[in-house]
Amino acid sequence: MLAGRILAGLLLILILGVAVLAWRGYRDDASTGPVQAIADPAQRVAYGAYLAKVGDCMACHTVPGGQPYAGGAAIPTAFGTFYGPNITPDAATGIGSWTADDFWRALHQGKSPSGDLLYPAFPYTEYTRISRADADALYAYLRTVAPVAQPSKPHQLDFPYGWRPLLAFWRGLYFRPGVAAQAGVDGELARGRYLVDGLGHCIACHAPRNALGATPVGSGFVGGAIEGLGWYAPPLDGDPAQGLGRWSRDDIVDLLKTGVSAHGVAAGPMGEVVAGSTQFLADGDARAIAAYLKSLPAGPAPAVASVREAAGMRRGAALYEQHCAQCHAADGRGKGRDWPALAGNISVTAPYPGNVIHMVLEGGYAPATQGNPRPHGMPPFGQVLSDEDVAAVATYVRNSWGNAAGAVTSLQVKQARAAGG
């Protein structure tokens, strides 16, 4: 009898807990934060166009070579593939029938005009910090782009993630709507935080995600593997070895605006961000972002396994001398900004070696930007070096000249090749 009562009590607690999570997931939030709308319509549209660049909206809502904002770009995740929807002002297939309130609701609450919950592949978890004035400027700009009659491609999700009501429980656990109080008007640090934490949604890549695809509250910009792409977004905190501790504000501004800096080159997904977004930052906004990032303290240092295989290091050293030293120098210090240093390079010393592996396999260029229109490139070595060779040279550069980042295995290289390297 007593056991039955205990079981019934536990069941009631469970039901109440589920109900609370569902309520928190579906609840509305009417807050807007400070509203300082731009009165002039032309200026509002122009500022909205700038904000669309800052948020890199094209990256998810435009297929390469396709019509701007017509949707269809694939976003691979552990739960399946999402596709950016059509956000042109086409009334039937885009957001032409949306009001400014509908658009604000999507950004601030992660809900469609009909009240359906949106998947957080659309980063409303960060966009909720955008001010209503900025949301209205974005909306005004999107109303001016060419409408495209193209139905949004349906997501291809594994079971049971395609059942949208489950999002209520995820949101109950991990989503809290709320506008940034400062809205970027209370000084340089506040503006930088507003851009980084909100429209820039930097934490979407530069922090780890848990098994449910959420970034735990308070995790900070400690770096994380980018799901489905095989690249690693390094920490943006003050860690001197793996973060921005040794970067100056000018170094950060250089990377954001030109794609190159004294400490490395923007490659892979970050190269695309620079090309499509951060190179267009106003100088004041770029400096504000740098100031905010430099204000972040270092997070806990990750554990690094020591490299004990001397033979593997010797093999890597010989390969480095043959293929790499001419550009990156024997001491790993590089030659100016065109051939970046590997010593102390935070992409090289990252806990996950995906960036080094991809660069050795595929090579590549820094993004072509207004400040660096003809970037130097690195040739690919994927057809010249075996998996064992790539692992050896990657291990060498990750553990030489003061670097201490652990070994790279041939299995990791093989996996990178299979993923598209």
Side-chain angles (χ1 to χ4, degrees), residues 259-358:
V260 295
S261 77
H263 297 280
V265 174
M270 188 60 197
E272 296 175 6
V273 170
V274 171
S277 175
T278 63
Q279 69 161 313
F280 302 106
L281 283 167
D283 291 343
D285 281 348
R287 288 193 296 269
I289 288 173
Y292 172 60
L293 293 180
K294 287 299 292 180
S295 75
L296 300 177
V304 177
S306 61
V307 178
R308 298 187 176 90
E309 188 189 355
M313 286 290 285
R314 286 196 297 269
R315 179 180 183 180
L319 290 165
Y320 180 85
E321 181 179 2
Q322 179 182 358
H323 297 289
C324 314
Q326 182 177 359
C327 293
H328 294 286
D331 59 2
R333 296 185 182 277
K335 297 177 182 178
R337 301 202 314 173
D338 292 332
W339 293 277
L342 302 179
N345 187 309
I346 59 176
S347 282
V348 172
T349 59
Y352 176 67
N355 298 6
V356 176
I357 295 173
H358 275 289

Side-chain angles (χ1 to χ4, degrees), residues 95-123:
I95 61 172
S97 62
W98 289 31
T99 66
D101 287 341
D102 293 333
F103 189 76
W104 165 251
R105 192 183 194 197
L107 267 61
H108 180 63
Q109 300 193 65
K111 293 183 178 181
S112 72
S114 64
D116 288 339
L117 304 181
L118 302 178
Y119 285 102
F122 170 61

Side-chain angles (χ1 to χ4, degrees), residues 12 79 88 114 127 148 151 154 160 165 217-218 220 248 273 279 296 331 354 384 392 398:
L12 179 61
F79 312 101
T88 71
S114 64
Y127 288 171
V148 180
V217 175
S248 69
V273 170
Q279 69 161 313
L296 300 177
D331 59 2
V384 177
R398 282 167 55 82

